[in-house]
Amino acid sequence: MDRLCGSGELGSKFWDSNLSLYTNTPDLTPCFQNSLLAWVPCIYLWAALPCYLFYLRHHQLGYIVLSRLSRLKTALGVLLWCISWVDLFYSFHGLIHGSSPAPVFFVTPLVVGITMLLATLLIQYERLRGVQSSGVLIIFWLLCVICAIIPFRSKILSAVAEGKILDPFRFTTFYIYFALVFCALILSCFKEKPPLFSPENHDTNPCPEASAGFFSRLSFWWFTKLAILGYRRPLEDRDLWSLSEEDCSHKVVHRLLEAWQREKNQASGRQTTAVDPKTPGEDEVLLRARPKSKQPSFLWALVRTFTSSLLMGACFKLIQDLLSFINPQLLSILIRFISDPTAPTWWGFVLAGLMFVSSTMQTLILHQYHHCIFVMALRFRTAIIGVIYRKALVITNSVKRESTVGEMVNLMSVDAQRFMDVSPFINLLWSAPLQVILAIYFLWQILGPSVLAGVAVIILLIPLNGAVSVKMKTYQVQQMKFKDSRIKLMSEILNGIKVLKLYAWEPSFLEQVEGIRQNELQLLRKGAYLQAISTFIWICTPFLVTLMTLGVYVCVDENNVLDAEKAFVSLSLFNILKMPLNMLPQLISGLTQTSVSLKRIQDFLNQDELDPQCVERKTISPGHAITIQNGTFTWAQDLPPTLHSLNIQIPKGALVAVVGPVGCGKSSLVSALLGEMEKLEGAVSVKGSVAYVPQQAWIQNCTLQENVLFGQPMKPKRYQQALETCALLADLDVLPGGDQTEIGEKGINLSGGQRQRVSLARAVYSDANIFLLDDPLSAVDSHVAKHIFDQVIGPEGVLAGKTRVLVTHGISFLPQTDFIIVLADGQVSEMGHYSALLQHDGSFANFLRNYAPDEVKEDHEVLQSANEEVLLLEDTLSTHTDMTDTEPAIYEVRKQFMREMSSLSSEGEGQNRPVPRRHTNSLEKEMPVIKTKETGVLIKEETAETGNVKLSVYWDYAKSVGLCTTLSICLLYAGQSSAAIGANVWLSAWSNDAMEHSRQNNTSVRLGVYAALGLLQGLLVMLSAFTMVIGAIQAARLLHEALLHNKMRSPQSFFDTTPSGRILNRFSKDIYVIDEVLAPTILMLFNSFFTSISTIVVIVASTPLFIVVVLPLAVLYGFVQRFYVATSRQLKRLESISRSPIFSHFSETVTGTSVIRAYGRVQDFMVLSDTKVDNNQKSSYPYIASNRWLGIRVEFVGNCVVLFAALFAVIGRDSLNPGIVGLSVSYALQVTVALNWMIRTISDLESNIIAVERVKEYSSTETEAPWVVESNRAPEGWPTRGVVEFRNYSVRYRPGLELVLKNLTLRVQGGEKVGIVGRTGAGKSSMTLCLFRILEAAEGEIFIDGLNVAHIGLHDLRSQLTIIPQDPILFSGTLRLNLDPFGRYSEEDLWRALELSHLNAFVSSQPAGLDFLCAEGGDNLSVGQRQLLCLARALLRKSRVLVLDEATAAIDLETDDLIQGTIRTQFEDCTVLTIAHRLNTIMDYDRVLVLDKGVVAEFDSPVNLIAAGGIFYGMAKDAGLA
């Protein structure tokens, strides 16, 4: 290099230490300035060029119009190029005129000139590729300016020193160059206009990141606007930015699908090369054995799709890892500088500056890395969800059988999420070993082989940690089981709360829940103690490692002296080492979980798909709409064929009925036509669009109108016709929002019949060519079925002229069909017109003779037509009485009788007739269980929390934990921090020993005290963790107990107005947070808080000047924290709200795939799913950015702490010893992590403490009257006679509502049998609820045997009355528990009750007997059996007053007779009050009470009432009893 600079006056050495280092006014040699310093920016630009060009080639964003800014930049580039050439020509000029300039004056202008030309061309190329702000060029100009600052100063200094300018021409060109470069830097910071044709032009709310400048992207400044908005008011959906094109689902999913397809093709390519089949038979065998061959790898598909993101992340991570080792080296030089009083002061300032720059670089790179990785993780999840969704739309039925909907949803929610969670750790696979190796290498440099002692400790602790986490895992699994059973029990309690109240059974169930909770908390406690131990290990590891290493170092050799440099540099290196080692267990568990998920997803994606070619859609023999030739079909390859050798031809426009016994393959035939079955041989052709009505109606969770339109544009006339013909108009009047009523999941707020009619309306509206109707008439009542057949399906219906295939059991419709296909055992047994088949006298004729004697058939039809109109209205209205009036009784008596009349005709026709049986079933279905979202009347909207959490909530939690416990945790933490500071101060004093005596004498004392202080710190950590566990478990117990006790005592009205899901959420999600999330979060907060405080204490103690900057930094920190918490909390809420629709839409899709495919809407549903995922991403993306925004700002505060700690150490170097400086700066280097964690945990705590608030809210709702009033117990054996008296009694359901009973006054004598009748809403059920004080009196009172029921405890009252409720509710558990939860009765009593209730045969036939397990809600018993079980409960009680709320249509007549008979014999001497729906049951009662609009209308014996000709007479007449 010296030769390059030549000799003579300008000749100089390349490097001169005396000039550059050992002086108080440092400078660089002219040679260095003109050569290397001038080349640095050029080297950078040429090095970055290839990668940057590659990037630009692949990212075309449209071109930017040539703007003024662009012209200016280009002009500056050209001028700079000219300046360089002028310099070069000047050198040539000198050469020609005899002076010999040094070679460097030719080389440098040439290099700089060419580079400037390159930069100018780049400016234009970027413009053509649509780059608005170029990072590469900004860095280039920045380097140019920085490298020019030194000559800028030198030239002025030398001119001043010399008194004249040595080389005026070069002096001038240099300053012109400097001015131009500086202008270029300023201009490059401005961004260009958006490119033409960019999506921003038509985007309402584009993400500002896309158009942000380079520095804005680097510091995430573009996010600030949203942070401010979120601070001003809670964010809403409309505030979120739209996604950039490459983050959108359709784009990401498409890329992954392509990669996966390529993988599949490669795998199948490998197979075909492996086997070369000789014969087709062999081929089939090989295909069957396919799973053994290599499966396509989903992992490779993912890697291929996201290669660029992975590589980019890896680059950032590598740079960041290398940067993290610079600060310990700088610290080492800083300590040396402090130890050496002769060193020039400017060294210290440069070191402090370098530390700051290095930390800031590290921060910027780290957050770019995190952003890159988290966005990639988000894309991972998006892509996986999309691929699974698309696969679920095409899997075969056999695959669907194997995996439940729940499992598929899990693939999407859990497994896709696992990929997202593991992504941030992926790079640790190579980064952790790299960091460990580098750290050990640098430590070896300082301490030699004694490092190995520390490494050994680390390695030994890894299995210990592993063992602890394995044990914790097992506890967690057991605890989950308890939690599940507790939630299941709670859900049953909430579903059957009314029954519990009526029977006074709450204490028994309370005890059960508390028993489970006890076990759950026991496991929680064990798990939490383990957690505390692992925290202890975690905190002590770095300390033990340092202790071992330093101990071994000092003890091995007398001459090994521990000075400040060795102690604190190795300490900061050990801190770097701590990070990857702590992450390793997380990485390993994450990877094992993800590999399981990967395998599950891969298996699912490799499942068989439906063959889209199995139904020929294009060609068909003329005149026909559907043909099957020699078709054999199966549901799965390993099952025998369901349909075989079918030959069917259906002409266009025909109405074809498909009939046959149960299980003969009728529905399968429809599925085969849709292409849902696997075709083994033959050909199927279907020409034209298809509409399909499945047997089980599939309803989407959207408005009724959207369900009918099903993606087609709205045509009012056609829509109206569809509603009218499908008998939906009457329903619309009753639904709270008409056709805009939102229908719940699976059509929950519609009855079975309504769901079927909506499904049919969808088909009618679709206006397809072919209609496949799979038994749509079975779910509706027979008169409605007739209406629908006539109006829609039949020869006169709206679909006349279309091809219709109708699977049916309704024999009455067959004569009107064009021809009938009779199936038997999967084959066509007969085919032809109705009359032809009857004459043929085959199986069909027999079938008809058995099922439909002619005369009955005629009667049936006459009756049908007579009642049709009135019934049609009745049917559609009946299903909604539940929603329209408050009284639980559902059907009016008149209606009931009409219904009975209409089914009387079918009673006598033999047991096998399908219609009546389905008919009673349909009535069961017709009782809607869930109240619709009425317009704010019934169900109050749940309020979403916004804004800050009140301090009182924290205070509540602290009280639950116990104030002493809370205080001791704080003190223990303070003690632990003091111990840590003590240990480090001791280390610093120890290292200063070396300075004074260059040998250390009392090593053992030094080591001993250091060890003692460190262990004390560990013990205090462990103690504080244990104390926290004790407190947290106590809080969890108390909060759950309060919630449970309050809910068990809440009045019935609370459960009527609050959805059970909302209450369950408190018991599951919120209690989980209190159990498992709050305590660790609080510990983390304490940890980071005390670390930050101790850092500041140490720095202030060592350099008191630091106090000056503490306040401004704290203000900045607080400011950032306020902005972040408000915004991120709201973003998190928005994210979780938008997540569930993805999964509910998916489970809905999976259940309705056949319908979606039949209507050809697969593509639309994919788009729907993508939109829902994108919606969720719209809040996830800003949330990720908010974390980065915060991180950079907080770490900036941390970096300032480092800067000032170093600066003040340099300023006060005369009064400080190296030990103190080492201590102060090594603490400062840790503070950034602590500050970052502190904000994170504060915001976590804020979002989690809400759980306490929600639980508290439901623990303090109003309760009903006390269960037992000790001062006023009912006398023993009360009531003895059973006289029930109402005196001037009025009641309302809830305050603010109308009175339901008005001034009721009546007296029922002991042992009297009274029937209560009245129209719907007359107050029949309310009366019984008042008797049990489920409703409390508005005025007046009720006496039983002269005792005012309002004065005694609820349980004293309820346990002495008996009710057989309308809907029999059972709880999961044994029969014994369902009959006698308190265990009060003997075995004989129980069997006697079962015998009287006609259940003993059933129970004794069960191997478990009385311990027979009932399923949830008693699903494994028939409705009749459940009803009889309720009767058995009543028989066990045998109280003097029995209330019988007669079951409506849900019960079959046989059971009804059994119950009535038993009541007449067993409750002969009791007072019986019966709410009657069938008048024939009460015709022999002593008296009948007729209620009308809440008042007594008539009250006398049935005979007298009929004679009087009032309301009761009218009812009896309707029922045909008068």
Side-chain angles (χ1 to χ4, degrees), residues 236-306:
E236 297 162 22
D237 268 339
R238 62 191 165 88
D239 302 320
L240 301 175
W241 307 307
S242 32
L243 288 176
S244 66
E245 181 66 15
E246 58 263 25
D247 287 326
C248 285
S249 293
H250 64 92
K251 196 79 173 221
V252 182
V253 177
H254 181 66
R255 282 169 52 199
L256 180 58
L257 276 175
E258 278 184 346
W260 173 241
Q261 199 49 53
R262 208 174 312 146
E263 270 299 310
K264 275 165 59 176
N265 294 346
Q266 281 179 358
S268 58
R270 284 197 290 272
Q271 283 164 23
T272 45
T273 49
V275 290
D276 188 17
K278 309 280 183 300
T279 63
E282 203 176 313
D283 186 13
E284 276 170 28
V285 174
L286 285 168
L287 277 176
R288 292 256 165 79
R290 195 171 68 187
K292 286 178 190 160
S293 60
K294 198 164 168 12
Q295 276 195 337
S297 154
F298 185 60
L299 182 64
W300 269 115
L302 278 173
V303 170
R304 273 184 179 169
T305 312
F306 298 106

Side-chain angles (χ1 to χ4, degrees), residues 620 623-628 648-656 658 669 673 772 803-805 819 821:
I620 193 162
H624 289 91
I626 299 173
T627 59
I628 303 181
I648 297 175
Q649 291 189 329
I650 299 176
K652 271 192 190 148
L655 167 55
V656 181
V658 181
L669 174 62
L673 293 177
L772 303 175
T803 311
R804 289 143 296 164
V805 176
F819 69 98
I821 299 173

Side-chain angles (χ1 to χ4, degrees), residues 141 150 174 225 342 349 400 454 564 743 763 835 847 877 915 919 996 1028 1066 1106 1297 1300 1346 1361:
W141 296 123
I150 296 168
F174 172 75
K225 211 166 169 185
T342 59
F349 292 121
K400 241 194 212 164
I743 296 177
S835 48
F847 167 78
L877 285 172
V915 179
H919 179 79
E996 280 119 49
M1028 186 75 220
R1066 301 290 192 279
F1106 190 74
L1297 294 180
V1300 213
L1361 307 176

